Amino acid sequence: MNARLRLVADRAATAAPPPVEALHEEPGPDAARCLGLYAKLAAGVAVVTARGDGGPLGMTVSAVTSLSARPPLLLACLRDGSRTLAAVRARRTFAVHLLREEQQDLAGRFASPTTTAAERFAGTDTRQILGVPVLAGSLAWSVCLTEDVRRYGDHHLVVGRVAAVHVGAGRPLLWHDRRFGSLTGPVPDAAG
């Protein structure tokens, strides 16, 4: 490489990246384009429940993930302003239920903004574990103690320390491209 090309390459390698503030000032794509991208994410469907002042509360979520095995931590994203989020913050406990592929109706009921809390829980086999309503029949569930809640945009990240857990057998209910789906292939055995 000649000296002139080497000098240009050295300058490019040492050029400073744009300041972070400049990146935050960029408007970015509009919400519709972002929602189009998010629709392409495949996710398991979960219902988060908590005990409210007037009884059990719950909502369907698709953003739940493991965070740590030691200590055992889960992360769930709950919509800002939801009654379930308010109960999680107030009571500092909640449950996460991973739904089975045949629980589409339950997912829809807990996702509907017009369905009351009483209607969401009507006809469900629910028991209390550590003071939290737990839905029987889900693929797996955990009861968590709230470790942290932080707002990001129109949702809050809720970190919970797993205090109780049950894992069953079956196939998970999935959400992709704004509709429910399921896995194909053999069903794995229950892990615990």
Side-chain angles (χ1 to χ4, degrees), residues 1-175:
M1 179 183 309
N2 70 33
R4 183 162 165 45
L5 289 176
R6 194 175 8 238
L7 179 60
V8 170
D10 289 344
R11 282 186 186 156
T14 60
V20 173
E21 297 82 29
L23 296 175
H24 286 290
E25 292 172 9
E26 290 296 317
D30 63 20
R33 291 193 51 85
C34 287
L35 290 173
L37 167 72
Y38 302 159
K40 298 303 179 187
L41 294 169
V45 179
V47 168
V48 172
T49 60
R51 169 67 50 194
D53 290 338
L57 296 168
M59 65 188 295
T60 300
V61 300
S62 60
V64 171
T65 190
S66 58
L67 185 58
S68 170
R70 291 287 168 244
L73 300 173
L74 282 179
L75 184 141
C77 296
L78 279 66
R79 188 184 72 254
D80 185 46
S82 75
R83 294 172 296 176
T84 305
L85 175 61
V88 168
R89 292 187 107 145
R91 300 287 174 110
R92 308 295 296 168
T93 56
F94 62 97
V96 175
H97 308 82
L98 307 180
L99 298 187
R100 296 177 188 278
E101 65 182 351
E102 60 271 10
Q103 293 180 304
Q104 290 182 25
D105 289 342
L106 184 68
R109 191 176 350 144
F110 275 82
S112 171
T114 60
T115 304
T116 67
E119 292 169 333
R120 289 179 180 188
F121 284 89
T124 62
D125 183 10
T126 306
R127 60 186 173 144
Q128 300 294 309
I129 298 178
L130 300 175
V132 179
V134 172
L135 306 172
S138 57
L139 178 62
W141 56 260
S142 64
V143 174
C144 300
L145 308 176
T146 305
E147 288 274 318
D148 194 18
V149 179
R150 293 181 190 257
R151 182 178 181 163
Y152 290 93
D154 58 5
H155 279 68
H156 285 72
L157 298 181
V158 178
V159 176
R161 181 181 292 258
V162 177
V165 68
H166 170 77
V167 178
R171 295 179 193 276
L173 178 61
L174 302 179
W175 183 251

